[in-house]
Structure formats: C-alpha cells, structure tokens
Amino acid sequence: MMKLEKYIILLFITGWSMAASAQTSDAEISNLKSQTSNYNALFLDAICERQKGNHDAAFDLLRHCVEINPEASEPYYFLSQYYRIQKDRQKALECMERAYQLSPDNDVFTETMAQTYLSQQQYDKAISVYENLLSRDKGRDDVLAVLYELYQHDGQYEKAVQALEQIELIDGKSERITQAKSDLYTRMGNSEAAISEMEALANQYPNDLNYRVMYGDALLQNDQTQRALQVYEDVLTQEPEHIGALLSMANYYTLTGDSAAAALASERVLVHPKTPTDTRLEMLRGEIMQSLDGVPTVDGHAAGGTDSVRVLNHFRQVLQLPQETADVAALCAAYMKLINMPQDSINAMYYKVLEIQPDDSYSRLQLVADAWSREDMPKVISLCTAARQYNPEEMAFYYYQGFAYYREDDVDSALGAFQNGVSVINEESNPVLVSDFYALMGHLLHKKGLEEEALAACDSCLQWNPDNIGCLNDYAYYLSERGEQLDKAEMMSYRAIKAEPKNSAYLDTYAWILFKLERYTEAKIYIDQTLQYDPDASAVLLEHAGDIYYHTGDKARAVDY
C-alpha cells in the first residue's frame, strides 16, 4: 500500500472516531458505532480494491462511503482522482473542494487542492489555498516560489516582493532574486527601491563588474540615464571589452535616440570574439524581426524594415569567427529561405551547418530534397551515404538513397539500401514513410525474381498503411502473375482503381486479374479504359489487350495488339 494511502487511512480512523465520541443516548451511541464500523470496513475495502487495480469496485465503494458518512474527507479525495480520470472536471473539482473543506489542515489535500485550482486557471482560489499551506510551514520556499508567480500574474506586486523577501530569508540573497525584486519595484513605479536593490547587490560584490552593469541597467530602466552612462563608462574603463557593458551602452544609445551610435555599439558586441552565442542569436533575431517589418521582395529587401543586406553582412561577419555550435549558421539559412534568396546561397549555408555540426540531419535532408527536385540522383546518393555515417538511425536517408539508386537502374544497391534501413524502423517511425519503404522493397525484390520476399514486403507495407494504393496494385499484380489468391488480388486491385480511376497501370492490373478469373467481358471494359488513358501503351499492356480481345471473340483486333 502506498505511504499516502496509509497516512489517509490513519487520519480517517483516528479523526472520525474522535468525532463520534460526543455524549448521546445509548441507542444513538450504538447506532453511531455501527455506522462507524460499516464506514471503516467499506473504506478499507475500497482502498484494498484500489491497490489490486479493481478501480470500478473501488469507485463504487467510495461512493457508498460518502453516503454512509458525508462528513469524512478521505473518500472525496479519492473520488476526485477517479472523476479526473473520467474527464469529469466539475465533479473532480467538487469532490476535491469537499475533501479540503472537511480537512483544511491536511497538507496532502491542501497541495492537491491548490494544484487543481492551478490546472483550472482559478488563480485567486489557488493563492488562498497556497497561503493556507504556507501559514502552517513558513519555510516552504517551493510554496513561496509558486505564490511569487501567482502574485505577479494577479498584479499583487507588493505581495510578490514579500514572497521574494521570505525566500531570501530561507536561501539567502542571490542575483536572480535581487533582479526580480528590482523589476517588481520598477513595475510598481518605485524607482528608488528598484535602483536601491541593484545598488546594494553591486556594493556587496564590488569586484564583480557584472553586478555594476546590472546596477546601471536598473538606473537606465528608471530614467536615470546620465547616472547609468557613468556606471557603464566606469566599467569599460576597468575592462574595455566587457560584453555586458558594451551591450548596455547600445541600449543606452537606443533609448537616448542616437541610432547611429547604437548600431555601432551593437555591431561591436555582435562580432566580438567573447560574445556568448546565445547573446549573438538574440541580437540577430532582433535584427531579423526589424528586417521583416514589411513585405519581403525578390531583391532581398523588406519595405519599411531593416535592409536585409545589412543583416546578411552581420551573419557573414559572425560566421567568420570560431563557432561553438551551428545555431548561427542554421538561423542564417532559415533567414535566407524566408527572404527568397537563391537556392545555391541557402545550400551553401546548409553546408556551413554541416561543416560545424556534421550530424545535423535537418540541413542534410534539405540538401537531399533540393538535389531530388533537380533530379541529381548521384548527389542524392552521395549526401545520403555521408548521412548514414552521422545519422544511422534516420530512416529517410535509406529511403532516398535506395530510391535514387533505383532511378539510376542500380537495383542491387537500391535493394541493399532498403534492406539496411529496415533495421532502424521502430514503433515511433512515420507509418506512411515505412509503408512506402516496404512497397519499394517489394518492387525491387519482384524485379530480382524473389517473389516470396516481395510478397512478404507487401504484407509489411500494408500493416503500416493499409491504404497504400500503389502497394495494393503491385501486390494484386504479383498474385495475378502467380495465379494465386485471385479473389484477394481482385479486391485489392479494385480499391486501387477506385482511388485513382484514370491510372492506366492500375486499370491494366484490374483488367488482367479479371482475365485470370475468366471474366472476359468485364476485363475488356477495363482494358479499353487503360488504352484510353495510356496512348503510349507498353508491350506488356498491348499483350494483355490482345489476350483479352482474343477471349472476347475479336481475334482480328487481338492480332493487331
């Protein structure tokens, strides 16, 4: 039995028994004891059934417990869980509220009640319950953290500050808490307190220039621009290449309307070797948003926005620096695609990504897709061969490589690629892709004369996607060639022509199966449709037409075909 349930059982036995100890008549006492005994037995039975996994029985017993003793909190708690599983949110809430009302000092019920209100976005009620929980244990910094978020959401900034101050008493001062308090004071319009918080932190750690910059930022946010400038200049005097101070200086110039100086300061930070990648990415995203402040045009400019040439130049400068990750190159490729840059330029950036991070499957797949669209099968094969070294679990590369080999008439290599790819298929694989994978394998195995293996591949294909029309047609045709299971073949082929009634290959298959079934008149109807939709009929199709016409009595036309 779970510890929580043992705890609740102890509570209900001791608590309810005490509630039943009031002095009443002997008859009433006897009746009350009988009810208590019945309730205890039922509740314990319910918990036992719950432990055994008999949840329907447990649910019924718990509801009966409530009927016997509507003042017991424990059944409501468990009923709430069952109603939640049944997606009855209202009943779940009502039961949980009843459990909490009956036992407001039970920490388990209180926390569950608070979380229930949170999940239903009833934040004002959640605040009240969390405050109740905190009143019993003021050292719960986890509860204080939740209350801080809720107070912010509710606009109760003073209470949010108080919550942070209580966290400080428990965990001590920290940069994160001080920054949060300063931001709250700023939102409250208390500039003096906002600045004071950051100044105290900076003074506490005078040798940490990052805190000095944060103090300057607080000044800047609260309209103390000259004082902020002085702080930034002091930091840069001590450390001329301090990234935080340089970035804050760019913000200062922006706020004071000196756009030229702001642009120079931002560029200095952007291309500085010590600037963290995350900072660069944030700055580049900001520039991209400005460049998209208008309608992108073919020449690479956005009307009303920042010149995209400038953005691309910044990308070029940054990418000349050593790269810790491929994120900047990937962002550049996405931006190029967004503004309709030539595909060669975008591809060059995908190659840059792979240079930095060879296992980036997305970039390689984009290159494969482009090569495929240009029908450059050797390039597809080359890209997929490299990809299989770095992404051996990615089935798409086996698929494209196998198909490319097939397009190059290299059946053995194509079959090898598909057979190797089978090993990476798992339950999370894309069903449509897996289905196509097996369908192509079946086609290749059939070309190799491996008929049993081809049929097995078709079976696997249809297990992943029963509506794979191409496979239904191929499977039906393979069976017709063998003269086996023709009724099954006819049903599969009929599904294919219903899906694509003008597909000459599918119509030919259906006509040929009807011929094999000796339904010659029907076969003639469909072979005529086949010839209608395929003016450049193959030798096989014409041979089928000849056989069908011969068996319908038109021997002259049969000879012509």
Side-chain angles (χ1 to χ4, degrees):
M1 186 179 295
M2 294 171 59
K3 291 181 179 179
L4 171 59
E5 292 174 2
K6 287 182 178 178
Y7 173 64
I8 291 173
I9 291 170
L10 286 172
L11 280 178
F12 106 83
I13 292 174
T14 57
W16 205 67
S17 297
M18 289 171 65
S21 65
Q23 295 299 316
T24 57
S25 69
D26 290 344
E28 288 174 328
I29 290 173
S30 176
N31 182 52
L32 195 57
K33 285 182 177 179
S34 176
Q35 285 183 332
T36 303
S37 177
N38 289 339
Y39 170 78
N40 289 350
L42 277 173
F43 183 73
L44 289 172
D45 283 346
I47 296 301
C48 289
E49 294 297 332
R50 177 184 169 88
Q51 287 296 313
K52 290 188 288 186
N54 299 330
H55 296 294
D56 289 341
F59 180 65
D60 289 338
L61 287 166
L62 288 167
R63 286 193 297 177
H64 196 33
C65 286
V66 169
E67 292 173 2
I68 294 176
N69 179 19
E71 300 303 312
S73 59
E74 299 81 14
Y76 290 107
Y77 172 79
F78 289 107
L79 282 170
S80 174
Q81 295 179 358
Y82 281 119
Y83 282 123
R84 188 166 64 249
I85 292 169
Q86 295 170 16
K87 309 297 184 186
D88 191 339
R89 294 180 63 190
Q90 186 58 38
K91 288 289 289 183
L93 177 62
E94 289 172 1
C95 285
M96 195 60 243
E97 285 180 329
R98 184 64 177 151
Y100 174 61
Q101 289 164 4
L102 290 167
S103 297
D105 294 332
N106 183 312
D107 284 354
V108 174
F109 293 176
T110 305
E111 291 199 47
T112 306
M113 185 75 264
Q115 291 164 6
T116 301
Y117 282 139
L118 278 181
S119 68
Q120 299 199 10
Q121 298 182 354
Q122 298 188 39
Y123 300 124
D124 54 338
K125 292 183 178 180
I127 288 173
S128 176
V129 178
Y130 275 118
E131 286 176 339
N132 175 30
L133 186 61
L134 187 65
S135 69
R136 300 199 295 272
D137 185 357
K138 297 188 183 300
R140 291 284 301 270
D141 56 353
D142 58 327
V143 176
L144 285 164
V146 175
L147 279 170
Y148 160 67
E149 296 292 346
L150 288 172
Y151 288 143
Q152 278 200 100
H153 182 274
D154 205 40
Q156 299 185 51
Y157 297 134
E158 288 188 10
K159 283 193 171 184
V161 170
Q162 290 170 9
L164 290 175
E165 288 174 341
Q166 284 184 264
I167 294 174
E168 277 186 325
L169 290 174
I170 299 168
D171 298 335
K173 277 188 170 292
S174 71
E175 173 188 330
R176 180 181 60 83
I177 294 175
T178 302
Q179 181 73 64
K181 285 169 68 179
S182 180
D183 290 343
L184 285 169
Y185 282 129
T186 298
R187 276 187 268 178
M188 293 163 63
N190 191 343
S191 299
E192 184 177 343
I195 293 169
S196 179
E197 281 290 329
M198 299 311 301
E199 184 177 21
L201 184 65
N203 291 337
Q204 186 177 349
Y205 302 99
N207 295 323
D208 192 327
L209 296 180
N210 292 324
Y211 292 149
R212 298 298 298 171
V213 173
M214 290 169 65
Y215 168 47
D217 291 344
L219 290 166
L220 192 62
Q221 289 169 14
N222 288 278
D223 301 323
Q224 300 288 322
T225 54
Q226 288 306 308
R227 289 175 63 190
L229 178 61
Q230 185 61 55
V231 171
Y232 298 146
E233 289 178 341
D234 288 345
V235 171
L236 290 172
T237 298
Q238 296 179 63
E239 189 178 323
E241 301 300 314
H242 192 285
I243 298 301
L246 291 171
L247 192 56
S248 292
M249 284 292 284
N251 292 335
Y252 165 80
Y253 288 130
T254 299
L255 287 175
T256 56
D258 192 341
S259 56
L264 288 172
S266 295
E267 187 169 322
R268 185 178 175 188
V269 174
L270 189 63
V271 301
H272 197 288
K274 293 183 179 180
T275 300
T277 299
D278 288 346
T279 302
R280 284 202 184 99
L281 287 168
E282 186 178 347
M283 295 177 72
L284 288 166
R285 289 190 188 104
E287 286 200 18
I288 288 172
M289 292 305 295
Q290 291 180 33
S291 77
L292 298 177
D293 185 21
V295 181
T297 58
V298 177
D299 63 359
H301 298 273
T306 302
D307 189 340
S308 59
V309 173
R310 177 185 166 195
V311 179
L312 291 169
N313 184 53
H314 283 164
F315 271 115
R316 180 185 59 78
Q317 290 176 289
V318 170
L319 288 170
Q320 287 177 346
L321 301 168
Q323 300 295 304
E324 296 177 356
T325 70
D327 292 342
V328 173
L331 181 61
C332 184
Y335 178 62
M336 287 178 162
K337 194 171 183 178
L338 197 61
I339 62 172
N340 299 318
M341 290 281 288
Q343 190 61 46
D344 287 349
S345 300
I346 300 172
N347 287 349
M349 197 50 58
Y350 285 137
Y351 279 114
K352 181 67 175 178
V353 171
L354 294 175
E355 178 187 322
I356 301 166
Q357 189 174 322
D359 63 345
D360 188 285
S361 60
Y362 175 81
S363 295
R364 206 177 296 273
L365 276 171
Q366 297 304 305
L367 291 168
V368 168
D370 176 63
W372 187 270
S373 69
R374 293 183 284 104
E375 299 192 1
D376 187 347
M377 296 302 126
K379 175 60 72 175
V380 171
I381 292 168
S382 172
L383 286 164
C384 290
T385 300
R388 286 174 53 181
Q389 298 178 29
Y390 294 105
N391 308 102
E393 76 293 341
E394 180 56 66
M395 188 179 65
F397 292 119
Y398 298 90
Y399 176 83
Y400 281 112
Q401 187 184 44
F403 211 149
Y405 274 128
Y406 173 66
R407 292 280 296 275
E408 292 287 285
D409 295 323
D410 189 344
V411 174
D412 289 336
S413 295
L415 189 57
F418 283 117
Q419 288 172 331
N420 287 330
V422 168
S423 62
V424 305
I425 295 173
N426 57 57
E427 59 185 15
E428 296 181 1
S429 298
N430 184 317
V432 174
L433 184 60
V434 174
S435 178
D436 288 345
F437 198 95
Y438 277 116
L440 282 166
M441 273 189 67
H443 183 73
L444 293 168
L445 289 164
H446 177 71
K447 285 180 72 71
K448 294 277 291 180
L450 302 170
E451 300 301 333
E452 295 297 332
E453 292 87 341
L455 294 176
C458 289
D459 280 326
S460 296
C461 166
L462 296 175
Q463 285 177 9
W464 283 88
N465 179 17
D467 297 320
N468 189 314
I469 302 304
C471 182
L472 286 169
N473 174 76
D474 289 348
Y475 200 169
Y477 189 70
Y478 301 158
L479 290 174
S480 73
E481 284 190 317
R482 292 163 65 97
E484 297 176 356
Q485 303 181 64
L486 292 177
D487 289 337
K488 176 181 178 180
E490 192 266 340
M491 286 190 293
M492 289 192 294
S493 181
Y494 185 71
R495 285 181 62 193
I497 63 167
K498 288 294 287 183
E500 297 185 24
K502 295 184 179 181
N503 187 310
S504 59
Y506 297 174
L507 289 165
D508 176 44
T509 297
Y510 192 61
W512 188 242
I513 293 170
L514 293 173
F515 172 80
K516 289 279 191 174
L517 288 167
E518 299 181 4
R519 292 158 57 180
Y520 302 126
T521 302
E522 293 176 76
K524 182 177 179 298
I525 293 170
Y526 285 97
I527 202 67
D528 285 344
Q529 291 182 36
T530 304
L531 295 167
Q532 175 187 346
Y533 294 124
D534 188 358
D536 300 319
S538 67
V540 173
L541 194 159
L542 294 172
E543 185 178 354
H544 289 171
D547 288 345
I548 292 168
Y549 268 85
Y550 182 84
H551 281 82
T552 54
D554 193 341
K555 296 182 180 180
R557 290 283 298 278
V559 170
D560 289 341
Y561 285 128

